[in-house]
Amino acid sequence: MSDDETTPDAVYGVRFGPLKPAIREHAYPVTKEELIEQYGGFELEHADGTDRLEEVLRRTDLATFREPQQVRDAILAVVGVDGTGNPVDPETIGRETGDWSRRSP
């Protein structure tokens, strides 16, 4: 297993599990519908429970993603929470550290 899959830490209260390496390895740009078709069944654990990626992406405004960080940010804007349990401020999402760069195949 890669570090992406075994790291227990959540990003703004969201655990991506095996979805993180899948998102990082995917070819970009990609549409929301393509991501839903390929990964929509993946589950995201978060402060309010669990949601499938399809449910989360359907609540975003973006139709196309240019890089993995945009997918992460869109997910966090829907289900992420800050350290006090409040919804994540979209202006601060990009400051999260961690490797969400695109992986070369």
Side-chain angles (χ1 to χ4, degrees):
M1 257 187 209
S2 72
D3 286 343
D4 284 344
E5 296 176 59
T6 59
T7 302
D9 297 334
V11 179
Y12 290 109
V14 179
R15 293 186 189 277
F16 288 85
L19 181 60
K20 181 178 177 180
I23 289 172
R24 289 183 63 205
E25 293 169 0
H26 195 85
Y28 289 83
V30 63
T31 67
K32 174 173 35 178
E33 293 305 318
E34 290 171 322
L35 288 175
I36 288 170
E37 183 178 321
Q38 188 152 5
Y39 308 112
F42 277 81
E43 291 196 345
L44 299 161
E45 294 179 35
H46 54 85
D48 291 329
T50 304
D51 279 309
R52 289 182 29 218
L53 179 64
E54 176 178 10
E55 298 163 348
V56 174
L57 288 180
R58 294 247 183 250
R59 298 187 326 219
T60 67
D61 293 332
L62 288 174
T64 303
F65 301 93
R66 294 183 316 269
E67 58 187 4
Q69 292 94 334
Q70 282 190 309
V71 179
R72 175 207 61 198
D73 293 353
I75 292 167
L76 294 177
V78 173
V79 295
V81 294
D82 66 14
T84 62
N86 294 314
V88 176
D89 177 355
E91 297 296 317
T92 64
I93 290 175
R95 296 183 196 150
E96 181 272 325
T97 59
D99 191 1
W100 276 85
S101 60
R102 194 179 310 177
R103 284 189 174 169
S104 299

